[in-house]
Amino acid sequence: MDMKVYAEFKTLPNGQEFRRKTLIQIGSSTKLIGSAILINPGSAEPIRDINQDADTVKKFYLDNHNIDISDVDLAHWKLFKADHTMLRLIKIFNGSYISRETELEGIIQLFNCSYYKEQSLNKARDKLLTRQDCIFDEHELLSNAPVYFGWGDEGKYGVVNNIAEEIFKNYDLSLTPIYSEEFLENTFYHPTYINRSYNSNAKTQNLLNNFYEALHRI
């Protein structure tokens, strides 16, 4: 699979790292496939500056969101190595987990409730809410395609609950009509749990089928 990952990336003097907007490109198209919102960035690491790929990022935002990203803003973008969560997310979007695999071509937007980068959620919990400028605020980028909400119990009941509820409240559910308007009635399984439970949990299978059909408009 031909795939590239681009993301805004910031390192503070104290070594803390933040990964904001993330684009997972499959193939060469810059068409928006859909979006996902998880908890916080994990193990994916930057490889290099985006260099010649800057035009891809600029074209994506201009074509899909009518946003012209400046060269100054692009200076904060890096090419990343995909982590396990990203690869599992692709399997949610392409139907692999439910034996309905469809070839994808385009870009999946990946967001997180908090952009503090830490692979261990236990280590991250006390830092997820410490910087208000590193909390999800991209509501306008969710206005034209289905969204997979995968923030798990941390979003449903835990440390990022307030952020998750605010995102959900501001989202147009008609774009992904698989979700109930009542926040707590929904299943928000993280891709890691999906990977563990897709063969054994009927709720997981139901969620995957419903999201696949909403995404592919079946």
Side-chain angles (χ1 to χ4, degrees):
M1 178 175 56
D2 182 17
M3 178 184 67
K4 287 185 175 180
V5 178
Y6 314 104
E8 284 183 296
F9 186 67
K10 182 176 184 178
T11 303
L12 300 185
N14 64 7
Q16 288 185 355
E17 297 176 331
F18 297 88
R19 194 189 82 218
R20 291 183 60 87
K21 300 180 187 69
T22 301
L23 306 179
I24 303 171
Q25 183 182 34
I26 303 161
S28 59
S29 173
T30 55
K31 177 183 177 181
L32 174 61
I33 297 171
S35 303
I37 307 177
L38 307 182
I39 306 167
N40 72 300
S43 62
E45 293 291 340
I47 301 171
R48 58 168 171 78
D49 292 341
I50 57 172
N51 301 329
Q52 68 270 23
D53 295 306
D55 287 343
T56 297
V57 176
K58 291 186 77 168
K59 180 174 172 55
F60 170 78
Y61 282 104
L62 193 59
D63 290 354
N64 294 281
H65 300 301
N66 198 29
I67 296 173
D68 189 2
I69 294 187
S70 71
D71 291 337
V72 173
D73 290 331
L74 280 170
H76 298 290
W77 284 73
K78 304 287 185 182
L79 183 72
F80 268 71
K81 182 179 180 180
D83 61 14
H84 291 302
T85 297
M86 294 176 186
L87 298 176
R88 291 162 183 166
L89 192 62
I90 291 172
K91 293 173 74 172
I92 292 172
F93 276 67
N94 72 13
S96 291
Y97 284 124
I98 50 175
S99 302
R100 301 174 73 173
E101 185 170 356
T102 299
E103 186 174 346
L104 298 177
E105 181 79 18
I107 289 178
I108 298 171
Q109 295 184 123
L110 173 57
F111 304 98
N112 286 280
C113 291
S114 169
Y115 293 121
Y116 176 71
K117 182 180 177 298
E118 169 57 62
Q119 184 174 0
S120 169
L121 185 57
N122 285 331
K123 292 180 181 178
R125 278 192 176 94
D126 63 338
K127 297 178 180 177
L128 289 179
L129 306 179
T130 57
R131 290 180 60 94
Q132 290 299 312
D133 59 335
C134 288
I135 288 173
F136 176 92
D137 62 355
E138 290 88 7
H139 300 280
E140 73 280 2
L141 300 181
L142 306 178
S143 62
N144 50 356
V147 175
Y148 181 82
F149 298 108
W151 44 54
D153 283 349
E154 287 297 334
K156 198 169 184 179
Y157 311 108
V159 67
V160 294
N161 168 255
N162 289 342
I163 303 170
E165 285 207 51
E166 182 70 14
I167 295 169
F168 193 78
K169 181 181 72 175
N170 284 282
Y171 179 64
D172 179 2
L173 289 176
S174 69
L175 295 169
T176 320
I178 69 172
Y179 295 105
S180 167
E181 291 184 4
E182 295 299 322
F183 182 82
L184 292 177
E185 291 180 1
N186 293 291
T187 299
F188 299 122
Y189 292 155
H190 188 275
T192 298
Y193 180 76
I194 293 286
N195 193 61
R196 292 200 308 264
S197 66
Y198 72 97
N199 269 330
S200 58
N201 187 335
K203 287 185 177 180
T204 301
Q205 284 284 316
N206 187 57
L207 173 63
L208 291 170
N209 273 292
N210 288 343
F211 181 74
Y212 178 90
E213 292 181 3
L215 184 70
H216 297 278
R217 295 174 174 82
I218 295 173

